[in-house]
């Protein structure tokens, strides 16, 4: 199985999702809380759509309410492949950091 | 008197799609709920003090003297959301529907927090531009890099 490469925004989203299931606004709030970065709903949903196609997340339709005027929420959850991609990215970053010269060593 | 709009100010408590529902208190103290259809709303503006001025055609024909007004449900969102739905017409439902719902939820949240109508419209417009730009960029990227299709990079 080939593990897809992931962008920084995809990493943020995977980190925000963790092991839970969240919908758009909750993900935006969690990304803000974790990284202190604001992301637009437009970039969030196009990225989530791409991640869904790559198999990094899975989604299901949820509920609606009066505020949403009939538009349903869509809940996202990290898949096993998404978890593997995140783990692989972590391994690569750790490896790259290990190759860097330590402070104080020329 | 017929055809002359009536102006008044009401406190914002909530918002609905089916127009405005107000409680009209007549001179004898009887409170009557009246729903004002979205089409009867000539103009509606939110003020910084969380009041809404609405210009309504025909309310004066009800023969109910307006002594006091109390609000139950507010402005129709059918008008100010039509353009949003139009914008998302060419975008897949998996993106457009939850995006539209989140935008509506955000707008309601901002109204409750007392943001002005102009500020809410500006925030919505920026979100809309972000969606269109990101979606267009995704499509263009897939077109110019068929050998490295990010949307079809599923690894199983």
């Amino acid at each position: 199985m080939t593990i897809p490469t992931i962008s920084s925004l995809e990493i943020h989203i995977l980190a925000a999702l963790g092991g839970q299931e969240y919908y758009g606004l909750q993900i935006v709030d969690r990304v803000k809380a974790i990284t202190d970065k604001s992301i637009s709903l437009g970039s969030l949903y196009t990225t989530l759509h791409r991640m869904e196609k790559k198999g990094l997340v899975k989604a299901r339709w949820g509920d609606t309410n009066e505020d949403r005027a009939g538009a349903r929420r869509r809940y996202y959850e990290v898949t096993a492949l998404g978890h593997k991609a995140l783990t692989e990215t972590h391994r690569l970053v750790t490896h790259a950091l290990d190759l860097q010269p330590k402070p104080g060593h020329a | 008197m017929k055809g002359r709009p009536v102006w008044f100010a009401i406190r914002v408590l909530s918002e609905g799609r089916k127009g405005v529902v107000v409680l009209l208190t007549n001179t004898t103290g009887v409170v009557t709920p009246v729903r004002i259809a979205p089409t009867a709303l000539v103009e509606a503006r939110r003020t910084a003090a969380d009041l809404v001025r609405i210009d309504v055609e025909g309310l004066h024909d009800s023969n109910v003297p307006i002594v006091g007004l109390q609000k139950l449900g507010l402005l129709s969102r059918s008008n100010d959301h039509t353009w949003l739905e139009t914008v998302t017409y060419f975008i897949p439902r998996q993106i457009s529907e939850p995006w539209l719902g989140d935008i509506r939820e955000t707008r309601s949240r901002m109204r409750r927090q007392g943001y002005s109508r102009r500020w809410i419209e500006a925030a919505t417009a920026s979100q809309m531009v972000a969606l269109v730009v990101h979606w267009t960029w995704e499509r263009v990227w897939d077109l110019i890099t068929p050998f490295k299709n990010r949307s079809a990079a599923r690894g199983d």
Side-chain angles (χ1 to χ4, degrees), chain A residues 1-5 7 23-25 29 39-47 49-50 52-55 61 65-74 76 81, chain B residues 14-17 77 92-95 97-106 108-109 112 126-127 130-131 134-135 138-139 142 150-156:
Chain A
M1 179 189 289
T2 309
I3 299 172
T5 55
S7 69
Y23 76 98
L25 285 177
D29 290 343
I39 55 172
S40 70
L41 287 168
S43 63
L44 175 74
Y45 278 112
T46 47
T47 306
H49 187 63
R50 188 199 321 138
E52 201 179 340
K53 284 187 172 181
K54 286 162 79 172
W61 289 106
N65 58 33
E66 196 195 345
D67 280 346
R68 300 178 69 86
R72 291 168 296 172
R73 286 176 176 148
R74 196 160 167 80
Y76 295 88
L81 186 64
Chain B
S14 63
E15 300 184 31
R17 297 192 74 191
R77 289 178 300 187
R93 198 173 168 194
Q94 288 94 335
I95 294 177
E97 186 174 332
W99 178 85
L100 205 55
D102 285 358
I103 287 291
R104 287 171 177 160
E105 217 174 314
T106 306
S108 296
R109 194 187 292 176
R112 282 193 292 271
S126 72
Q127 289 282 0
L131 175 70
H134 279 93
W135 176 247
E138 283 285 319
R139 298 279 61 78
D142 284 350
R150 292 196 301 174
S151 296
R154 189 169 182 147
D156 54 2

Side-chain angles (χ1 to χ4, degrees), chain B residues 82-128:
Chain B
T82 305
W83 61 278
L84 272 177
E85 285 159 14
T86 307
V87 165
T88 58
Y89 185 76
F90 295 102
I91 296 175
R93 198 173 168 194
Q94 288 94 335
I95 294 177
S96 61
E97 186 174 332
W99 178 85
L100 205 55
D102 285 358
I103 287 291
R104 287 171 177 160
E105 217 174 314
T106 306
R107 288 165 65 96
S108 296
R109 194 187 292 176
M110 290 176 79
R111 284 193 195 102
R112 282 193 292 271
Q113 289 171 349
Y115 285 92
S116 70
R117 188 177 180 86
R118 184 174 291 184
W119 186 259
I120 295 170
E121 294 300 334
T124 305
S126 72
Q127 289 282 0
M128 188 191 69

Side-chain angles (χ1 to χ4, degrees), chain A:
Chain A
M1 179 189 289
T2 309
I3 299 172
T5 55
I6 51 179
S7 69
S8 60
L9 181 56
E10 289 172 343
I11 292 172
H12 289 158
I13 292 171
L14 289 172
L17 285 171
Q20 301 292 315
E21 194 184 51
Y22 294 109
Y23 76 98
L25 285 177
Q26 290 176 321
I27 298 172
V28 169
D29 290 343
R30 286 183 60 81
V31 168
K32 174 78 177 169
I34 294 168
T35 66
D36 204 31
K37 286 181 182 174
S38 298
I39 55 172
S40 70
L41 287 168
S43 63
L44 175 74
Y45 278 112
T46 47
T47 306
L48 281 169
H49 187 63
R50 188 199 321 138
M51 291 170 75
E52 201 179 340
K53 284 187 172 181
K54 286 162 79 172
L56 298 171
V57 295
K58 61 180 177 182
R60 68 166 179 88
W61 289 106
D63 52 341
T64 184
N65 58 33
E66 196 195 345
D67 280 346
R68 300 178 69 86
R72 291 168 296 172
R73 286 176 176 148
R74 196 160 167 80
Y75 288 89
Y76 295 88
E77 192 179 3
V78 180
T79 61
L81 186 64
H83 185 74
K84 276 184 184 171
L86 204 56
T87 309
E88 177 65 12
T89 305
H90 179 258
R91 191 187 65 79
L92 283 172
V93 170
T94 307
H95 182 66
L97 285 171
D98 287 344
L99 294 176
Q100 298 296 311
K102 300 286 183 292
H105 293 80

